[in-house]
Amino acid sequence: MKLRKFTVKEFRSIWDSNAIEVDDKVTCLVGKNESGKTALLHALYRTNPIIAKDALFDETYDYPKREVEDYRLSIQNGERKEAVVVESVYDLEEDDIEIVSEKFGPDALKESFFTLSTYYGERNRQFRLEANDKAAIMYLSKNPDLPIPLSEKLVATNNWDEFIQILRDAETEQTETVSNLLELAEKIEEGENLAHYIYNSLLRPRIPKFLYFDEYYQMQGCANINALIQREEEGQLEGSDRPLLGLISLARLNVNELVNITNTTELKNKLEGASNHLTRRIMKYWSQNKHIRIRFDVRDAKSRDPQGMQEGVNIWGEIYDTMHLAHTPLGSRSRGFVWFFSFLAWYESVKKKQQNVILLLDEPGLSLHGRAQADLLEYFEAELSDHQLIYSTHSPFMVDPQHFDRVRIVQDLSIDADQELPREEDGTKVLTNVFDATEDSLFPLQGALGYEIQQTLFIGPNCLIVEGPSDMFYIRAISCELEREGREGLSEKWVITPVGGSGKVPAFVSLLAPQKGLNVTTLLDIKKKDKQIIEDLYKKKLLKKKQVLTYAEFIGKKEADIEDLFDREFYVGLLNAEFKRELKKPIDPSKLNERVPRILKAIEDHLSENPSAFKSGSFSHYRPAQYFTENITYLWETISSETKDTFEGVFQKLNNLL
């Protein structure tokens, strides 16, 4: 059974949220602070909470405050109906439909969904389910175990009253089948109709519970086991108890056993096994610190232990740092770690009990580093796929750019309004049209989208860093032409990333190289002043030496730009063709200083010595690259075979690094 959509009305900051479509897997509610995301999750949670006592809507506390007395008076005077706080629509899956079909036949349901309406007051709810009474009567009447005459009479009935009366009159035919059928029909009649019976007896137990989790449920990391057992027995668990119990269960421990174990070796073995199991489970999705280990300690209480832990037996959760060789209490670790740890512990306990739940997470991972939030999204996809998940956030890092279709924008225009808005515009709204969203509401999406564009447009699993767009133009154009000749070009697996100059290369590499699963290689110009920068890329262990390539090594020189892979005469001809309007006369290659190893430097020196060479403008090495790309079709035939071989050698070496 899946939640398809829900609508919240007249609850806290919400007058009418609009219908909120829910994804089969993950739904992300995005909005600024105070927009009403928490209110939406609270309302949905109370319709069927995993903690039964939370199933209550109290108009005193939950109805929008400024009109609560008007609402009560209108109800008392019969001027309006009670508010439907949450209307939820659930889709029935194959196993749900099969349960109904086995009992009442394949046509007993007219629709494969039902609607649940929840009102103010404890357990005050109604359902709408379309059932086909006649089809169910027909199916039951054709039971092969019924006597044929009785079956024929039952087939002719039009309602449950007639059906029941015929069964009651069949005194001489009271077999076990007839008795069971009569009992079933009487239960249906007691519930008024077939839909009522199907919902209450077959479907309602299958409706998934809602597990709501926020910072309130973070564990403290230590507890008095005797008091914990007592609170659990009395149904008075505190918020921090639930993840701790989940943690103990996840560690394959039993609180009663921990109190009663009398053998120290047995206790130590249990705790050590539990610690190792938890460490493997937690660290699979925690990339922020790989040196930590989970440890449990169970000891008799001491007189100076914390309040409430001075008698009986205490359990302590600790983190051991293998780098700093130190134990610290679990509750004193970073808020982000404690949140992640607490949620995983509680969820894993629910999962272990095979409970059917929909997860509601309010601002998950708010205290986590951006990369740890990415770890959390990965955890959602990998580990929570058996459940629907709805979570709220205002962090760009908690918006999955691969699934913008899962995002629902939450906003409340009244936050920034100077005066009271009309009811239809006031309060929390969940938008179906992104064009209606304010800039603040869109900001997390813009941040996620911007990051994704930067990642996908210029960064890929195989990232080739070059200095500027000129390099990218030459490489792409020549690669295509080589491939047309059946030779080897640059593999499409490489994403060429121009960084805007050699000075930006170290910072860019230091940002990219540590990222998991990213293969970074440089192909750079090299000049005397850049030599140290380039050597530092591998000396500082940012990259391996084989991943730091320069154009110079392919032509056997100490200095070279990509332009030096061409014959000098060809490149000067390229320059003359592009700048023919600006140059007073074409540059003569023989006039360039041959002792200068780099063609660009030789051209700059020549123009410096002849400042009047340009009628207007100045030399830019970007424009010849653009001209080359635009005219590659006929220029290709004028490129020497040595140049083609050199570029092919570059591409071959790069492709071998994939």
Side-chain angles (χ1 to χ4, degrees):
M1 192 178 297
K2 298 267 189 186
L3 177 66
R4 185 208 302 174
K5 63 181 178 180
F6 69 100
T7 306
V8 181
K9 294 182 179 181
E10 298 176 78
F11 177 78
R12 297 187 181 175
S13 65
I14 307 166
W15 288 114
D16 184 348
S17 68
N18 299 324
I20 305 166
E21 299 288 338
V22 178
D23 190 86
D24 281 350
K25 293 183 177 179
V26 179
T27 303
C28 175
L29 302 178
V30 172
K32 61 187 288 188
N33 291 333
E34 303 298 319
S35 61
K37 303 185 298 294
T38 298
L40 290 168
L41 294 180
H42 275 177
L44 183 59
Y45 167 68
R46 293 191 198 175
T47 62
N48 197 30
I50 197 168
I51 303 173
K53 64 184 180 65
D54 292 341
L56 171 66
F57 287 100
D58 189 328
E59 63 190 40
T60 301
Y61 300 102
D62 297 325
Y63 196 88
K65 290 293 189 292
R66 74 181 187 216
E67 294 189 22
V68 63
E69 292 305 323
D70 294 339
Y71 169 75
R72 284 175 172 155
L73 186 60
S74 297
I75 294 294
Q76 289 173 6
N77 295 338
E79 296 171 0
R80 62 160 293 172
K81 295 180 179 179
E82 289 186 60
V84 178
V85 187
V86 183
E87 183 174 272
S88 312
V89 179
Y90 289 88
D91 283 329
L92 302 178
E93 297 185 289
E94 288 186 12
D95 53 346
D96 303 308
I97 295 173
E98 185 176 344
I99 285 178
V100 177
S101 298
E102 287 178 354
K103 204 167 191 72
F104 297 106
D107 300 319
L109 291 174
K110 293 182 178 180
E111 297 172 326
S112 59
F113 67 89
F114 69 89
T115 302
L116 183 63
S117 299
T118 309
Y119 300 79
Y120 282 105
E122 190 172 2
R123 303 189 181 282
N124 186 6
R125 62 194 65 187
Q126 295 178 1
F127 73 92
R128 293 196 303 276
L129 175 70
E130 293 291 328
N132 190 333
D133 290 75
K134 181 61 180 175
I137 288 173
M138 185 70 69
Y139 177 80
L140 294 174
S141 301
K142 294 182 178 180
N143 188 321
D145 293 331
L146 288 173
I148 293 177
L150 179 58
S151 176
E152 291 174 348
K153 289 180 182 180
L154 293 173
V155 166
T157 59
N158 293 309
N159 55 62
W160 292 106
D161 288 337
E162 294 179 12
F163 189 85
I164 291 170
Q165 192 58 53
I166 291 174
L167 289 174
R168 285 174 177 168
D169 292 342
E171 296 180 359
T172 58
E173 299 170 310
Q174 287 297 325
T175 63
E176 182 179 356
T177 301
V178 173
S179 299
N180 292 340
L181 200 55
L182 177 59
E183 182 181 358
L184 175 61
E186 288 174 341
K187 287 180 180 178
I188 294 172
E189 187 182 40
E190 287 173 11
E192 299 179 0
N193 55 44
L194 177 64
H196 191 278
Y197 178 87
I198 290 175
Y199 173 77
N200 284 286
S201 299
L202 303 181
L203 297 181
R204 189 170 68 176
R206 301 176 62 83
I207 300 176
K209 299 283 187 181
F210 289 104
L211 188 157
Y212 176 87
F213 191 87
D214 64 5
E215 291 195 353
Y216 170 75
Y217 293 102
Q218 291 188 178
M219 70 176 75
Q220 302 300 315
C222 61
N224 181 267
I225 298 179
N226 307 82
L228 181 64
I229 292 172
Q230 184 176 351
R231 288 196 297 272
E232 186 175 28
E233 290 175 348
E234 295 174 353
Q236 300 295 324
L237 288 173
E238 299 173 357
S240 60
D241 288 339
R242 298 182 186 279
L244 180 59
L245 284 170
L247 181 66
I248 293 170
S249 174
L250 178 60
R252 301 169 183 171
L253 299 173
N254 181 291
V255 286
N256 293 297
E257 287 181 1
L258 292 177
V259 173
N260 297 321
I261 288 178
T262 56
N263 185 303
T264 302
T265 301
E266 180 184 357
L267 177 61
K268 287 179 64 177
N269 288 340
K270 276 186 173 293
L271 294 177
E272 186 175 7
S275 301
N276 293 336
H277 172 71
L278 272 178
T279 297
R280 289 195 302 271
R281 198 75 188 89
I282 300 293
M283 299 311 295
K284 184 178 179 181
Y285 293 101
W286 184 257
S287 65
Q288 299 302 287
N289 184 351
K290 294 297 185 183
H291 301 295
I292 59 177
R293 302 291 182 266
I294 317 300
R295 294 288 183 263
F296 278 115
D297 192 10
V298 174
R299 295 174 182 263
D300 291 338
K302 307 298 180 185
S303 60
R304 300 187 66 179
D305 280 342
Q307 188 69 31
M309 300 178 63
Q310 296 166 354
E311 295 181 359
V313 180
N314 295 329
I315 184 168
W316 304 82
E318 297 179 329
I319 304 297
Y320 179 67
D321 192 315
T322 60
M323 181 62 68
H324 296 97
L325 304 179
H327 285 89
T328 54
L330 176 58
S332 69
R333 302 294 296 191
S334 68
R335 290 177 63 192
F337 177 80
V338 174
W339 184 96
F340 183 80
F341 194 88
S342 300
F343 168 71
L344 189 144
W346 191 4
Y347 168 69
E348 289 290 341
S349 173
V350 171
K351 183 179 178 181
K352 186 176 180 181
K353 296 175 184 175
Q354 296 185 327
Q355 291 176 271
N356 183 17
V357 297
I358 295 175
L359 303 168
L360 307 177
L361 306 186
D362 196 7
E363 298 286 1
L366 189 61
S367 303
L368 292 174
H369 180 273
R371 181 170 290 179
Q373 291 183 6
D375 290 342
L376 188 57
L377 286 179
E378 182 182 346
Y379 173 79
F380 288 169
E381 290 291 330
E383 299 292 336
L384 306 185
S385 57
D386 291 339
H387 307 278
Q388 285 181 285
L389 165 65
I390 304 173
Y391 71 94
S392 64
T393 190
H394 59 257
S395 167
F397 297 104
M398 285 301 297
V399 178
D400 188 345
Q402 302 298 324
H403 295 288
F404 278 122
D405 56 305
R406 297 174 175 176
V407 173
R408 310 291 182 262
I409 299 173
V410 182
Q411 71 179 26
D412 184 351
L413 295 178
S414 66
I415 295 175
D416 301 313
D418 296 327
Q419 57 187 8
E420 188 175 313
L421 298 174
R423 174 74 69 86
E424 62 271 13
E425 298 177 16
D426 192 21
T428 298
K429 302 283 185 185
V430 179
L431 305 181
T432 55
N433 191 338
V434 70
F435 298 111
D436 295 331
T438 63
E439 289 185 10
D440 287 346
S441 300
L442 282 175
F443 180 75
L445 272 71
Q446 292 170 336
L449 181 59
Y451 182 73
E452 173 66 5
I453 289 174
Q454 186 256 349
Q455 291 286 306
T456 56
L457 187 58
F458 294 120
I459 301 172
N462 299 287
C463 182
L464 176 61
I465 294 178
V466 297
E467 287 191 21
S470 299
D471 302 67
M472 184 168 64
F473 283 165
Y474 287 124
I475 289 170
R476 285 180 172 170
I478 293 173
S479 176
C480 288
E481 294 302 318
L482 285 174
E483 289 177 353
R484 286 194 180 101
E485 291 186 352
R487 302 175 68 171
E488 185 169 355
L490 185 69
S491 170
E492 291 183 358
K493 294 179 180 179
W494 285 111
V495 175
I496 304 174
T497 306
V499 297
S502 59
K504 296 180 181 179
V505 170
F508 209 86
V509 170
S510 65
L511 286 172
L512 293 182
Q515 293 192 28
K516 295 183 293 184
L518 206 60
N519 174 28
V520 179
T521 296
T522 66
L523 180 59
L524 305 173
D525 304 337
I526 184 168
K527 303 177 274 293
K528 284 184 179 179
K529 67 183 183 70
D530 295 333
K531 186 176 180 181
Q532 190 59 50
I533 292 175
I534 291 172
E535 288 181 354
D536 281 347
L537 294 176
Y538 52 85
K539 287 183 177 179
K540 301 292 186 183
K541 297 184 178 180
L542 291 172
L543 297 174
K544 296 178 181 177
K545 190 171 184 178
K546 67 178 182 179
Q547 293 173 294
V548 182
L549 305 181
T550 67
Y551 296 112
E553 65 185 85
F554 292 97
I555 55 175
K557 293 184 178 181
K558 293 183 179 180
E559 297 182 28
D561 304 306
I562 190 171
E563 290 82 359
D564 294 305
L565 273 60
F566 296 101
D567 296 330
R568 282 202 167 196
E569 290 75 12
F570 174 85
Y571 184 75
V572 173
L574 202 63
L575 184 150
N576 288 331
E578 172 58 22
F579 290 100
K580 61 182 178 182
R581 293 182 180 179
E582 289 93 337
L583 287 168
K584 288 185 176 179
K585 63 178 182 179
I587 295 176
D588 184 352
S590 65
K591 301 292 185 181
L592 301 179
N593 189 344
E594 294 183 358
R595 289 177 295 176
V596 177
R598 296 169 45 241
I599 181 63
L600 292 180
K601 182 66 169 62
I603 291 172
E604 289 170 359
D605 290 348
H606 174 76
L607 294 176
S608 178
E609 295 168 3
N610 300 276
S612 61
F614 270 90
K615 290 185 290 185
S616 62
S618 60
F619 171 64
S620 163
H621 69 94
Y622 172 81
R623 283 179 56 183
Q626 186 178 23
Y627 178 86
F628 179 82
T629 302
E630 293 170 350
N631 299 278
I632 185 65
T633 303
Y634 74 85
L635 286 175
W636 184 249
E637 298 302 323
T638 65
I639 297 176
S640 69
S641 58
E642 291 80 4
T643 297
K644 295 179 182 179
D645 291 342
T646 301
F647 273 100
E648 185 176 28
V650 174
F651 300 150
Q652 287 173 341
K653 188 160 188 176
L654 286 169
N655 293 342
N656 287 336
L657 294 174
L658 289 170

